[in-house]
Every structure is written in structure tokens, then in C-alpha cells.
Amino acid sequence: GPGSGAASSAVADWSLAFWTLCSVVLPVLITLWCSFQRSRRQVLIRDIFRKSKHDWRYTDLFGQPSYCCVCAQHILQGAFCNVCGLRVSESCLKKADQLFLCKEIMMRSDAGAAGSMPHHWIRGNVPLCSCCMICSQQCGTQPKLCDYRCVWCQRTVHDDCMKDCLKTEECTFGEFRDLIIPPYYLSAINQMRKDKKTNYEKVAPYCSKHWMPVIILANTRSGNNMGETLLGEFKILLNPVQVFDLSKIAPAKALQLCTLLPCNSVRVLVCGGDGTVGWVLDAIDEMKIKGQERFIPQVAILPLGTGNDLSNTLGWGAGYAGEVTVEQILRNVMEADGVTLDRWKVQVSNKGYYNLRKPKVFTMNNYFSIGPDALMALNFHAHREKTPSLFSSRIINKAVYFFYGTKDCLIQECKDLNKKVELELDGEKIELPNLEGIIVLNIGYWGGGCRLWEGMGDEPYPLARHDDGLLEVVGVYGSFHCAQIQVKLANPVRLGQAHTVRLILKSSKMPMQVDGEPWAQGPCTVTITHKTHALMLYHSGDQTDDDASSLSEPDHVREQTDEDV
């Protein structure tokens, strides 16, 4: 009857409601359960990472065919050690941590004779195109976990060629033995420190005759965020104790490693922009003040930042984007010649307030400027502070700079500079033409790769050098003139060369910058005097005739005396 029809309809409705609810709730519950399991898994992984002696990193996709070092299965995702290169699946991570030792910074007391150490072999995932040290045939060609690599000398050997004698054979540290700090050296130094001895020179003969240990200082926040990858690649090739992340440790602290190494032997590779280089050079100046002059290292540059004019001047290029292998970078550091770089003190004394305010003091390596290029830097800086995520790419940075340069053409905020400032070179007042900007140069390059002092190169001018105690002072008519000089369509207004530069801003507020750090400045006196010398490394690899004027002969490198401090 009608009653049974209504009942079956109600059951159908309830059934529909139940299954609709299930279809909504079940996926939600499954998602919540998966999310809970994932977060639990991540907590466990993080816990293993934190307690481990390995420097584990997690990846969702390996860049080359990879096999787990424990279960030998092919893996697409998992963890890899940034120091020894082990690769492992997530499920085998704990086991791998117990089974395999990482690269040791110092040797254990039971580990053989002082002055030598055996190979440290790890199995599988050898670099592509590596050859066996026994039979010279290619390694890692089979699609499975096979063949061995020594984590120190990077030599590889086939499973079939691996003999017992190789497991105990002394490791020679391979191609970069002159740059690596061996674990046995640090063990010996550690023992001497316990015995309160400081004559570390006695330990040096353990290492090779031409030993020039390198310290890597990388700013992972510089430029296009390549620092993180480079840190791992340098840790694989060197002793991890030599590689520092400047976002976690200050240069002054990292450079104390120099005091444990032979005098005048250390080379430092700074991976970052000119700002990072300036930060490291300031830390080296602090070493001089502490009386550690004999431990001062020579500095090479790997340009990662936006402004790389100092790096360009010293032959290291205008920007690194991974086009050169890390091995080649280390070879370049080994072959580089020593040169000196003038460093200058910029003192800005405000007018008024009865001069009770302390003057601002900066250290300058590259250039000081007042006018359009400082205004561009100031605008750029203000926008980078607001939205830092936008400015991680070098191309975007240059595009924004271009935008502010052309915008300034229309506004001409820096007009009639010659009426607002007085310029003195070595005490002599200079008559200024109708300018909008003045730039004081210490190095050959300016504005991201332009040789400002030379201009078009069609006029006679004294050579610009970065080690002669002289500054080059030029004027520009505005942003458009700056752009013309950059594409070699115009010459700058060469105002002269000087040992001391004095600039008096009589009225109004003007944009100023020192080495890319800009600010707006009211009436003041700016005095630029010589501060000290820095020991740098010059890479003469792809040098063109255009670069010759900024090259200093390597003979200058040991000329630094006590008066430079």
C-alpha cells in the first residue's frame, strides 16, 4: 500500500544521504590520515637528520639515476649526504646512518700513522664519466648499485677491480691535495693545543710542499640563491671544516681557522656579491688589529650577487650561473696570482648641530658616488626591502635598475649639482661644469660591467689601477649620459686623479652611495682617504686587452708591510 511506498522512499533517501556523506567524509578522513602520517614521517626524518653525523638533505627527485646504499633498490626520491655523497631511500635512512661513516673532519686516535690515511670508499652512485683507477675503463655504467668512490681523492674503482690492498692503501687526496686540509693535520693541531704548544709550523711538512689550503665562505642569500648548491659541492671535494655558510657564521669567526694553518699560505674563496666581499675584507682588517697579520689570507671571488664590479676587475667575471664546474673553480683559485687592492675610508661629517654628531664612517673598495646612479640604487634598495622575494634573479634586478634609470631621465632630481657641491682633489679646488653626478672610482669596472674611466677609449688618459693609491674622479651629465657611457657611445667628464678627495655638499638633500649601499644625505663634508691594502687573487684566464689596464703584476702581493695596517 501507500505506507510501504513511503517507507521505501524514506529508506532510499536515508541511503542516498548516507552514501553522499560517506563520499564526502571518507576522502577527508583519508587526506587527514595521510597528512598525519606525512607529518609524523617528517618529524622522524628531521630527528634522524638532527642526530646524524651525516649532513643529510631530502630530495623529491634525484638529478641522476640513483640506488639506495642499503637495499640497492632504484630510488627516485630520498636523502643524500651533502658531504660524503651517500644516497638512501627514506625507509633505509636509519640503517644507513648506523652502517656508514661520513667524511671525518679529524682522524680518530686509532686511525693509523700520523701524516697518512687510507681511502674512504663508499659504494654506488659514482659520478658519470668517471674512470676506474685500476683498469681505466668507465665506472658506474651498469643500472644497479655498483663500483666504489673514495670520498677524499674522488677516485673510482670497479667492484671487480677492488682488492683488499686498496682498502688499506694510503689516500693521496687526488687533484686538490694542495687545497684540502687533511684530517690528520687537524688531529695533530688538536693534540698540540691540548699540550699547550703553538709551533704549528712543525705539522706543515705532513702535507704537500705546495700546500695552499682554501677556505670557502659562501653567502647563501646572495644573488640567484646558488650558494646552497655550491656549499654541498665544495664539501664533497674538500674537508667540510673548510666550508662555511655566512648566513650561519660570521666571517670573523670562520677566518680564525687561518690561525691554525701555516703563515701566508691560506687562500679564501668568497662566494657572493661585492657586499659579501667587503664584509670578508672588513673581517680580515680586524685580524690585523688583533695582531694576526701573518695569518692574513689572499681572497678570490666567485660572483653570485647583483653587483660584481670588483669581481669583474679582478678577472673572476661579472656573474656566475653554474656554467663552470666546481672543480674548474678550484683550479682557477690554485692558479690565480696575488695582487693588492687599495681600501679607502669614507668619512661623512654632517653640517650644523655644532658638529656634535659622530661622523659616519664607511670602508670603500669599489666606488663612491653622488647623483643619478646613487638615486637609482636608493630607489632599488627601497623596493627590495618591501618585496625581497621579487629580487632573487639577477635579470629582474638589472631590469628594475634600468627602469629607475630611465624614470630619472624624466624627473631629473639631481639637477645643478655643480651649484650644490664643492670638489677638492688633494686640496685643490676643481671647477665643475654643469653636472648631475660625481663618481669616485677605485676599480676599473662600474655599474655592472662598464669601464667608466676609459669611456669610449678614444682619448688619452692616465691608466686606472686598483693598487696605486690613487682614486679616479669623473662627472656625469645624468642617467642618459651614464647609459651612453655603458654602451661606449660617450666619454665621462674626467675630473682628475687624487690621493685624497673632499666633497662639500652645501645645500639640499642628495642621494649618495658607497659600494652599492645608498642613503639620502643632507649638507655635509665627505672626505675619502687611503685606509689599507687587501691581498686579493687575480684570475687571468679569459683576459682581454680591455682588461689589461686594471691588471696589477703578481709581484705586488708580498709587498704589504706594517705601514699598511
Side-chain angles (χ1 to χ4, degrees), residues 105-106 181-191 239 241 257 260:
I105 288 168
M106 284 199 293
I181 301 175
Y184 54 75
Y185 176 85
L186 290 173
S187 302
I189 294 290
N190 199 34
Q191 191 55 50
N239 188 331
V241 81
L257 180 56
L260 304 179

Side-chain angles (χ1 to χ4, degrees), residues 127-139 154-158:
L128 303 170
C129 308
S130 53
C131 293
C132 175
M133 64 187 279
I134 303 296
C135 69
S136 301
Q137 296 298 307
Q138 193 173 338
C139 284
Q154 310 305 322
R155 294 173 89 181
T156 52
V157 61
H158 288 122

Side-chain angles (χ1 to χ4, degrees), residues 42 45 69 71-72 98 119 133 154 169 187 198 220 233 252 269 322 444 460 468 470 477 479 485 495-496 499 528 532:
Q42 283 172 345
I45 288 171
C69 61
C71 65
Q98 294 160 353
H119 289 290
M133 64 187 279
Q154 310 305 322
E169 183 185 271
S187 302
T198 52
T220 49
E233 292 186 33
L269 176 63
D468 56 359
L470 280 173
Y477 296 123
S479 292
I485 298 166
L495 299 170
H499 299 279
I528 306 175
T532 183

Side-chain angles (χ1 to χ4, degrees), residues 265-389:
S265 69
V266 182
R267 298 188 162 202
V268 166
L269 176 63
V270 180
C271 309
D274 285 349
T276 309
V277 178
W279 189 23
V280 171
L281 294 181
D282 287 342
I284 290 171
D285 284 348
E286 282 175 38
M287 288 176 73
K288 295 178 190 177
I289 295 162
K290 285 182 192 167
Q292 297 172 342
E293 178 110 23
R294 65 188 195 279
F295 298 115
I296 280 172
Q298 293 171 289
V299 179
I301 307 168
L302 184 64
L304 299 185
T306 309
N308 300 309
D309 290 307
L310 178 58
S311 155
N312 216 351
T313 300
L314 295 171
W316 297 100
Y320 176 74
E323 66 282 358
V324 180
T325 62
V326 171
E327 289 85 351
Q328 188 54 49
I329 292 164
L330 290 176
R331 286 180 206 118
N332 293 346
V333 171
M334 283 165 82
E335 291 160 11
D337 301 315
V339 294
T340 54
L341 172 76
D342 292 321
R343 302 192 79 214
W344 301 82
K345 177 181 161 186
V346 180
Q347 188 167 306
V348 183
S349 311
N350 290 306
K351 281 194 174 174
Y353 301 101
Y354 304 101
N355 283 337
L356 293 176
R357 272 198 199 175
K358 274 182 82 177
K360 283 188 271 193
V361 178
F362 303 89
T363 301
M364 179 184 102
N365 304 312
N366 299 3
Y367 36 72
F368 163 87
S369 73
I370 177 170
D373 73 320
L375 180 63
M376 275 192 267
L378 193 60
N379 287 334
F380 175 79
H381 210 70
H383 278 72
R384 183 152 69 170
E385 295 290 303
K386 278 186 208 164
T387 51
S389 56

Side-chain angles (χ1 to χ4, degrees), residues 160-201:
D160 299 339
C161 300
M162 176 58 88
K163 305 183 184 92
D164 285 340
C165 62
L166 276 181
K167 291 182 180 175
T168 53
E169 183 185 271
E170 183 186 334
C171 179
T172 58
F173 294 99
E175 183 185 357
F176 301 114
R177 67 180 72 86
D178 290 340
L179 298 179
I180 294 171
I181 301 175
Y184 54 75
Y185 176 85
L186 290 173
S187 302
I189 294 290
N190 199 34
Q191 191 55 50
M192 288 180 85
R193 290 179 83 179
K194 282 180 187 167
D195 301 340
K196 300 204 165 113
K197 293 176 185 168
T198 52
N199 51 338
Y200 302 146
E201 292 82 20

Side-chain angles (χ1 to χ4, degrees), residues 26-99:
L26 201 64
V28 171
L29 288 173
I30 291 169
T31 307
L32 286 171
W33 186 79
C34 289
S35 156
F36 170 72
Q37 288 293 351
R38 195 186 300 116
S39 62
R40 195 162 154 260
R41 218 172 66 228
Q42 283 172 345
V43 167
L44 287 169
I45 288 171
R46 269 204 301 270
D47 196 49
I48 295 170
F49 281 13
R50 198 176 69 249
K51 292 175 183 171
S52 176
K53 287 192 174 174
H54 288 275
D55 184 12
W56 293 116
R57 294 282 187 276
Y58 191 81
T59 180
D60 286 325
L61 185 66
F62 285 109
Q64 65 181 74
S66 299
Y67 301 88
C68 174
C69 61
V70 177
C71 65
Q73 294 299 310
H74 180 256
I75 49 174
L76 290 174
Q77 61 184 72
F80 65 96
C81 176
N82 230 358
V83 173
C84 67
L86 274 179
R87 293 176 186 207
V88 62
S89 67
E90 203 179 293
S91 53
C92 299
L93 186 56
K94 201 164 187 181
K95 207 169 181 186
D97 216 42
Q98 294 160 353
L99 283 175

